[in-house]
C-alpha cells in the first residue's frame, strides 16, 4: 500500500497559506451540529479541545487522570521553541525548519516541519495572551535560551516548569469552554476502542475508571492526543501512566503506525540507582546551556572516584575529558540528544563511568558559576571580588535559571549540585514514532486524527529539544482546527451519530470480554512482573544501539512473554471499582504487542539514523552511516483474538518523502 501524504503542491513556504485559502469551511451555525471527540488533554489535546470549542464545535474530551492539569505535559521542564529572532542572532522560520529537519536526520516530512516553524511564533503570542509567565530579561522582554542541535537562542521558558505553565494556559482556555458547555470533560475515563461506521471513525468505547462502567460515545470525528509510549521500556522519564493504548487500538482498526522504533534516549537524566526503581527523572536539556559534560581522562582517577578516594572537584582541568567539546567543537555540549547520549554511552562502555554502576558522566556548573559571578561583580561595581563573592553571585544566577531542577536533583541524589557536579546518564524520554498521519493530521482511518506526541510527528528520527511542546501546541491551536474543518464540511447534514448500532455493540463487547478475562484469569504473576521483563528486553536489545542478532532475540522473547502474559497474568480486585491494576493490565497487554512491532521495525532498518543506531552500520570513526533515503512505515493487519497472542501479518510500505526538497541537505 502506498500512503498519500496529501502534501499540497507549490513551494514549501507557500503550501500552508495556499492550503488554508482553498480548504472547505464549516460555517458557525453548522459547527453547532458537529461533535468531536478528543482523547487526551495534555498540551496537544487541551489546546485542540479549547480551540475547536471556541470555534463552535461540540467537544467531548477524555483523560484518564482526575484533571487535564495532570497530563504528562506538566512535566516538561526546559522550554518551547519559536522562530521569533528576539535575540537578533540570525534566527528565522527557515532556520527553525532546517534545524528540525536536520536534527531529525532528514526523516521528517518537510512540509509539516515548515508549517510548524511558520506557526511557532503564533504559539508564543497565544500563550502570552493567556498569561503564561515566560521568563523575561532585565528589560522585561521575553527571554530565550539555547537547546541542543542549534546555533541560536530560540527557546522560551518558564524556569524549569515550562510544560506546567503552558498546560495551565491550555487548561484555562478549556475551562472557559467547559463553563460554556462547549466542552464536556470526561476525567478518569480511558478510551479502550475506536468505533468505525461505514469506514469512518464515529466514536469510542471508554471505561469510567472510577465506577468501571463501559460507555459508548459518538462523534463526527475522533482526535487521538494520547501522548508517547516511552513506558514500553518500563523505566523512562515519562509519567507513570503514559501508555500506547489509544494509538494501539486505532492501529488495530486500520490506522498505520510509523517508525515505532524511533525512540529518543535523553542524555541528561539522573542515573538508575537499583533494581526496584519504577521511574527515571529528567534533568532538563536547558542545563547543557551552562553545564559542561565530562569524565576523567585517566582510568586511575575513575577508579579512585568510584572507590570514594577522590572527588570530582579534586581533578584539575587537564585531568578532565570534556568529550563533547573535544569531539564536536561547533556545538560543544549542545549537540543533539542522540549524539550526546551515544557519546556518554561510548565513554561509559569504555570504562569511564563515574558511579558504582559505571553508568554516569558529570554535568558540571563550576565554570558557569565563576563566569556569571564575575559578570555580576562587574554589574554591581564590585572591584576585585573574592572567590567566595564570585561563587555567591554566580550561584544566585544559576539558581534563578535552574533552581527547581537543582533542588529536584538534590532531593533525589542527596548531593548539592552547586558544590559538586551532577551525575547524569541517558534514559528513554520521547517517542518520535507513532500513528501515521497525513498533512491534515488524519490517520489512515477517515475521520480519525492523531496529534502531539501520539503521531509520528515532525521529528523524523530524533527530536530536537523544546520542539515537542511547540509541535503539540501547533497541532492543537493552529493546525488541526483548520484541517479538521475541511473534513467535517461534508458532515453538516449528517446529524447526531447514534450509539445504538451493531458497530458500537461489537466494539463494546470486545472491550468487556477483555476486562472480564483479566479479572477472571487469576494467574500467578502481577502486571508489573511482565512490564519489567518487557522493559529489560527493550532496553538491552532495542535500546541505545541495536544489532541484528539482539533484535531477533528480542522478537522471540517478547512473543514468548506475551503468550505467558495472556496465560498467567494476575489482576486483583473487581471490574466495578477503581482498579489501577486492571487499567495497567490493558496497557501492558498493548505494550507487549507494540514491543514486538518495535523490534521488527528496528530489525528491517539496516541503517543508523537519530534514535535508531544499528551497530553493524557504524563506520570506523564511530559515526553512523546514513544509507536509506526512505521512511519506512510498518503496517500490520490483525487476525484473531488479542488474547491468543495475536497473529500479525507484517507489511512494509514506504512513503517517498519529497526527495526534491532535500537539496539543502
Ligand atoms: C520529563 C520530561 C520533560 C520534558 N520537557 C520538555 C521540554 O522542556 N520541551 C519540550 O518541547 N518537550 C518536553 N518534553 C516532551 C513533552 O513534554 C511531551 O512530548 C508532550 O508534553 C506530550 O504532549 P501530548 O499532549 O502529546 O501528550 P500528554 O501530555 O502525554 O497527554 C496525554 C493525554 O492523553 C490522555 N490519555 C492517554 N491515553 C488515554 C486513553 N486511552 N484514554 C483517555 N485518555 C488518554 C492522558 O490522560 C493525557 O491527558 C518532556 C518530556 C518529559 C518526559
Amino acid at each position: 500500500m502506498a500512503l498519500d501524504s496529501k502534501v499540497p503542491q507549490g513551494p514549501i513556504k507557500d503550501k500552508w497559506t495556499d492550503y488554508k485559502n482553498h480548504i472547505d469551511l464549516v460555517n458557525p451555525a453548522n459547527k453547532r451540529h458537529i461533535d468531536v471527540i478528543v482523547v487526551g488533554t495534555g498540551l496537544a489535546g487541551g489546546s485542540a479541545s479549547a480551540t475547536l470549542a471556541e470555534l463552535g464545535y461540540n467537544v467531548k474530551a477524555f483523560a484518564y487522570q482526575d484533571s487535564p492539569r495532570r497530563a504528562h505535559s506538566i512535566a516538561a521542564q526546559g522550554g518551547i521553541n519559536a522562530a521569533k529572532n528576539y535575540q537578533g542572532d540570525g534566527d528565522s522560520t527557515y532556520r527553525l525548519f532546517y534545524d528540525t529537519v536536520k536534527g531529525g536526520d532528514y526523516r521528517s516530512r518537510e512540509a509539516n516541519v515548515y508549517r510548524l516553524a511558520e506557526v511557532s511564533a503564533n504559539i508564543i503570542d497565544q500563550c502570552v495572551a493567556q498569561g503564561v509567565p515566560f521568563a523575561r530579561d532585565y528589560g522585561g522582554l521575553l527571554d530565550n535560551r539555547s537547546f541542543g542541535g542549534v546555533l541560536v537562542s530560540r527557546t522560551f521558558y518558564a524556569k524549569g516548569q515550562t510544560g506546567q505553565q503552558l498546560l495551565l494556559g491550555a487548561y484555562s482556555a478549556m475551562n472557559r469552554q467547559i463553563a460554556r458547555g462547549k466542552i464536556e470533560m470526561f476525567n478518569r475515563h480511558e478510551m479502550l476502542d475506536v468505533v468505525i461506521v461505514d469506514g469512518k471513525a464515529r466514536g469510542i468505547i471508554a471505561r469510567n475508571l472510577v465506577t468501571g462502567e463501559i460507555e459508548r460515545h459518538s462523534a463526527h470525528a475522533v482526535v487521538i492526543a494520547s501522548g508517547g509510549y516511552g513506558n514500553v521500556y518500563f523505566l523512562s522519564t515519562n509519567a507513570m501512566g503514559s501508555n500506547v493504548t489509544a494509538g494501539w487500538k486505532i492501529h488495530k482498526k486500520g490506522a498505520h503506525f510509523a517508525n515505532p522504533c524511533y525512540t529518543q534516549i535523553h542524555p541528561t537524566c539522573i542515573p538508575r540507582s537499583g533494581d526496584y526503581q519504577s521511574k527515571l527523572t529528567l534533568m532538563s536539556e536547558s542545563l547543557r546551556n551552562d553545564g559542561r559534560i565530562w569524565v576523567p581522562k585517566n582510568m586511575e582517577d575513575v577508579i579512585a572516584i568510584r572507590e570514594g578516594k577522590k572527588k570530582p572537584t579534586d581533578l584539575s582541568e587537564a585531568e578532565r575529558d570534556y568529550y563533547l567539546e573535544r569531539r564536536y567543537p561547533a556545538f560543544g555540549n549542545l549537540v543533539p540528544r542522540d549524539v550526546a547520549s551515544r557519546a556518554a554511552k561510548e565513554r561509559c562502555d569504555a570504562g569511564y563511568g563515574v558511579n558504582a554502576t559505571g553508568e554516569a558522566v558529570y554535568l558540571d556548573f563550576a565554570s558557569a558559576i565563576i563566569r556569571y559571578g564575575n559578570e555580576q561583580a562587574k554589574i554591581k561595581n564590585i572591584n576585585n571580588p573574592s572567590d567566595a563573592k564570585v561563587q555567591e553571585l554566580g550561584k544566585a544566577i544559576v539558581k534563578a535559571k535552574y533552581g527547581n531542577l537543582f533542588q529536584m536533583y538534590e532531593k533525589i541524589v542527596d548531593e548539592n549540585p552547586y558544590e559538586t557536579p551532577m551525575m547524569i546518564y541517558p534514559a528513554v524520554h520521547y517517542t518520535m514514532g507513532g500513528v501515521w498521519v497525513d498533512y491534515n493530521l488524519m490517520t489512515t482511518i477517515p475521520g480519525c486524527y492523531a496529534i502531539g506526541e501520539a503521531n509520528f510527528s515532525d521529528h523524523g528520527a530524533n527530536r530536537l529539544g523544546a520542539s515537542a511542546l511547540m509541535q503539540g501546541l501547533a497541532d492543537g491551536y493552529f493546525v488541526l482546527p483548520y484541517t479538521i474543518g475541511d473534513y467535517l464540511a461534508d458532515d453538516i447534514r449528517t446529524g447526531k451519530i447514534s450509539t445504538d448500532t451493531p458497530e458500537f455493540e461489537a466494539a463494546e463487547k470486545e472491550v468487556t470480554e477483555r476486562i472480564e478475562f483479566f479479572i477472571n484469569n487469576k494467574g500467578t504473576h502481577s502486571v508489573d512482573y511482565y512490564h519489567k521483563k518487557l522493559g529489560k528486553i527493550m532496553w538491552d536489545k532495542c535500546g541505545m544501539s541495536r544489532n541484528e542478532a539482539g533484535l531477533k532475540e528480542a522478537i522471540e522473547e517478547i512473543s514468548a512473554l506475551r503468550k505467558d502474559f495472556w496465560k498467567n497474568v494476575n489482576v486483583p480486585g473487581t471490574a466495578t471499582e477503581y482498579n489501577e491494576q486492571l487499567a495497567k493490565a490493558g496497557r501492558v497487554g498493548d505494550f507487549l504487542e507494540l514491543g514486538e512491532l518495535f523490534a521488527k521495525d528496528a530489525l528491517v532498518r539496516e541503517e543508523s539514523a537519530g534514535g535508531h543506531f544499528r551497530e553493524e552500520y557504524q563506520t570506523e570513526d564511530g559515526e553512523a552511516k546514513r544509507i536509506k533515503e526512505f521512511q519506512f512505515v510498518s503496517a500490520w493487519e490483525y487476525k484473531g483474538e488479542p488474547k491468543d497472542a495475536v497473529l500479525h501479518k507484517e507489511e512494509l510500505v514506504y512513503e517517498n518523502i519529497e526527495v526534491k526538497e532535500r537539496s539543502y541537505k
Side-chain angles (χ1 to χ4, degrees):
M1 176 194 176
L3 295 169
D4 181 2
S5 64
K6 304 213 174 88
V7 172
Q9 296 299 310
I12 199 161
K13 66 179 180 36
D14 301 332
K15 284 180 195 287
W16 181 231
T17 306
D18 282 354
Y19 171 94
K20 284 188 294 180
N21 286 342
H22 295 101
I23 51 171
D24 285 342
L25 298 175
V26 182
N27 89 31
N30 284 331
K31 286 194 182 102
R32 286 197 284 273
H33 305 300
I34 292 184
D35 304 329
V36 181
I37 283 175
V38 181
V39 178
T41 53
L43 282 175
S47 56
S49 300
T51 311
L52 293 173
E54 182 80 42
L55 285 170
Y57 296 108
N58 308 309
V59 175
K60 294 180 186 179
F62 293 79
Y64 61 74
Q65 290 96 345
D66 59 349
S67 158
R69 274 181 309 145
R70 297 207 201 285
H72 158 70
S73 289
I74 202 167
Q77 301 171 349
I80 175 167
N81 290 331
K84 286 269 198 189
N85 194 26
Y86 279 171
Q87 304 305 318
D89 56 0
D91 202 8
S92 64
T93 299
Y94 179 81
R95 271 195 191 276
L96 174 50
F97 156 72
Y98 177 89
D99 289 345
T100 308
V101 173
K102 182 179 173 202
D105 255 349
Y106 303 96
R107 263 88 180 149
S108 321
R109 185 186 289 136
E110 286 87 344
N112 289 46
V113 180
Y114 199 91
R115 173 176 68 186
L116 175 66
E118 253 181 299
V119 303
S120 66
N122 302 354
I123 298 172
I124 303 303
D125 297 343
Q126 164 92 356
C127 296
V128 168
Q130 287 171 342
V132 172
F134 283 124
R136 289 177 183 269
D137 66 15
Y138 182 73
L141 301 173
L142 293 182
D143 198 12
N144 293 118
R145 54 191 177 199
S146 200
F147 265 57
V150 306
L151 298 172
V152 296
S153 286
R154 63 161 72 101
T155 304
F156 294 77
Y157 64 100
K159 243 186 180 179
Q161 318 168 337
T162 315
Q164 179 175 1
Q165 299 307 329
L166 292 171
L167 192 60
L168 287 172
Y171 176 61
S172 315
M174 277 186 79
N175 264 338
R176 188 173 116 75
Q177 302 303 331
I178 292 171
R180 289 177 66 216
K182 293 302 291 180
I183 295 181
E184 200 178 344
M185 185 65 224
F186 294 88
N187 292 321
R188 288 268 188 236
H189 274 66
E190 182 163 28
M191 170 211 166
L192 293 177
D193 210 351
V194 63
V195 181
I196 300 186
V197 181
D198 296 333
K200 293 180 174 176
R202 291 301 199 188
I204 63 168
I205 304 295
R207 179 165 176 268
N208 179 329
L209 293 171
V210 178
T211 64
E213 200 177 329
I214 304 295
E215 300 171 4
R216 302 177 185 186
H217 295 273
S218 68
H220 297 87
V222 174
V223 180
I224 302 297
S226 53
Y229 52 82
N231 281 349
V232 67
Y233 285 83
F234 186 69
L235 285 181
S236 87
T237 63
N238 287 10
M240 294 292 286
S242 294
N243 66 86
V244 77
T245 290
W248 198 248
K249 296 305 183 197
I250 63 166
H251 174 48
K252 291 176 88 162
K253 288 273 169 85
H256 291 310
F257 214 91
N259 310 338
C261 80
Y262 282 167
T263 309
Q264 178 159 89
I265 315 246
H266 196 298
T268 58
C269 302
I270 298 180
R272 202 167 63 90
S273 65
D275 284 346
Y276 292 99
Q277 199 163 339
S278 53
K279 171 92 186 74
L280 292 173
T281 307
L282 176 77
M283 287 285 102
S284 167
E285 176 163 315
S286 59
L287 295 172
R288 285 200 274 145
N289 271 275
D290 287 315
R292 298 177 71 197
I293 295 177
W294 62 276
V295 290
K297 247 184 209 160
N298 307 314
M299 190 52 78
E300 309 86 72
D301 288 332
V302 174
I303 294 166
I305 286 174
R306 282 197 203 152
E307 290 175 350
K309 292 181 185 149
K310 267 191 181 174
K311 291 191 287 205
T313 44
D314 294 336
L315 268 56
S316 67
E317 283 293 292
E319 291 166 325
R320 299 169 177 203
D321 176 14
Y322 294 95
Y323 56 86
L324 289 177
E325 296 172 28
R326 170 170 59 80
R327 286 178 62 181
Y328 308 99
F331 288 85
N333 293 292
L334 280 171
V335 290
R337 291 173 179 179
D338 53 335
V339 177
S341 290
R342 278 195 295 276
K345 180 172 166 18
E346 188 276 325
R347 282 295 74 198
C348 291
D349 287 353
Y352 290 85
V354 292
N355 68 352
T357 63
E359 291 190 338
V361 299
Y362 288 127
L363 179 63
D364 194 336
F365 291 84
S367 317
I369 288 172
I370 294 171
R371 176 165 43 84
Y372 285 127
N374 282 323
E375 188 181 293
Q376 285 299 306
K378 282 215 166 60
I379 291 169
K380 292 179 193 301
N381 282 329
I382 304 171
N383 292 324
N384 298 321
S386 65
D387 286 352
K389 191 69 191 168
V390 170
Q391 286 285 324
E392 179 197 317
L393 293 170
K395 283 174 187 166
I397 297 294
V398 168
K399 187 173 182 190
K401 288 186 143 191
Y402 315 111
N404 67 317
L405 301 171
F406 274 51
Q407 188 191 33
M408 195 159 77
Y409 181 87
E410 189 166 1
K411 279 194 170 165
I412 294 172
V413 181
D414 197 23
E415 280 182 1
N416 179 350
Y418 294 98
E419 303 295 340
T420 185
M422 286 183 179
M423 281 188 286
I424 51 161
Y425 195 68
V428 172
H429 179 65
Y430 181 90
T431 42
M432 280 76 66
V435 179
W436 184 91
V437 288
D438 63 17
Y439 188 73
N440 303 313
L441 305 180
M442 199 197 280
T443 70
T444 43
I445 301 175
C448 183
Y449 293 77
I451 61 174
E453 193 174 338
N455 73 21
F456 86 124
S457 90
D458 305 345
H459 310 295
N462 171 54
R463 175 177 71 81
L464 290 186
S467 55
L469 303 184
M470 170 175 71
Q471 181 227 330
L473 291 180
D475 288 357
Y477 284 134
F478 297 109
V479 180
L480 182 81
Y482 286 98
T483 62
I484 203 170
D486 190 39
Y487 171 80
L488 291 171
D490 289 340
D491 258 327
I492 54 178
R493 291 199 195 83
T494 306
K496 271 262 173 265
I497 308 286
S498 168
T499 57
D500 197 12
T501 62
E503 290 86 353
F504 273 92
E505 199 172 318
E508 184 183 314
K509 184 164 172 276
E510 218 176 291
V511 166
T512 310
E513 281 175 3
R514 187 160 147 129
I515 286 170
E516 281 169 0
F517 164 80
F518 282 132
I519 293 295
N520 297 330
N521 194 46
K522 308 279 181 242
T524 42
H525 296 304
S526 69
V527 174
D528 259 11
Y529 166 90
Y530 291 100
H531 195 185
K532 256 188 192 175
K533 277 192 176 292
L534 173 66
K536 181 152 174 47
I537 301 170
M538 296 297 297
W539 182 248
D540 288 348
K541 295 175 178 167
C542 315
M544 251 190 291
S545 64
R546 303 153 184 186
N547 61 56
E548 187 181 339
L551 289 166
K552 285 184 172 160
E553 281 164 21
I555 293 166
E556 296 280 308
E557 288 169 20
I558 296 170
S559 167
L561 188 66
R562 194 175 60 235
K563 284 183 191 132
D564 192 55
F565 173 84
W566 287 106
K567 235 165 111 183
N568 293 318
V569 69
N570 184 339
V571 177
T574 69
T576 51
E577 61 182 338
Y578 183 80
N579 186 341
E580 194 60 50
Q581 283 305 299
L582 176 58
K584 187 157 185 195
R587 295 170 195 167
V588 171
D590 295 333
F591 276 144
L592 282 161
E593 293 175 8
L594 166 77
E596 195 178 329
L597 175 67
F598 190 123
K600 288 188 171 175
D601 178 38
L603 182 62
V604 296
R605 279 176 199 279
E606 294 178 338
E607 62 166 350
S608 284
H612 171 67
F613 191 67
R614 271 295 278 266
E615 281 163 0
E616 8 341 15
Y617 288 88
Q618 196 173 355
T619 57
E620 272 174 20
D621 61 1
E623 290 300 326
K625 253 193 195 170
R626 296 173 184 134
I627 57 168
K628 284 268 160 76
E629 281 299 316
F630 294 105
Q631 192 163 20
F632 283 97
V633 177
S634 298
W636 286 35
E637 281 173 16
Y638 285 81
K639 298 180 193 304
E641 296 293 319
K643 67 180 174 186
D644 295 335
V646 190
L647 291 167
H648 304 288
K649 175 171 167 264
E650 190 178 4
E651 191 187 82
L652 274 176
V653 291
Y654 59 80
E655 175 191 34
N656 183 342
I657 45 167
E658 298 186 281
V659 175
K660 282 195 289 309
E661 286 176 13
R662 293 164 170 277
S663 49
Y664 54 83
K665 183 162 151 183

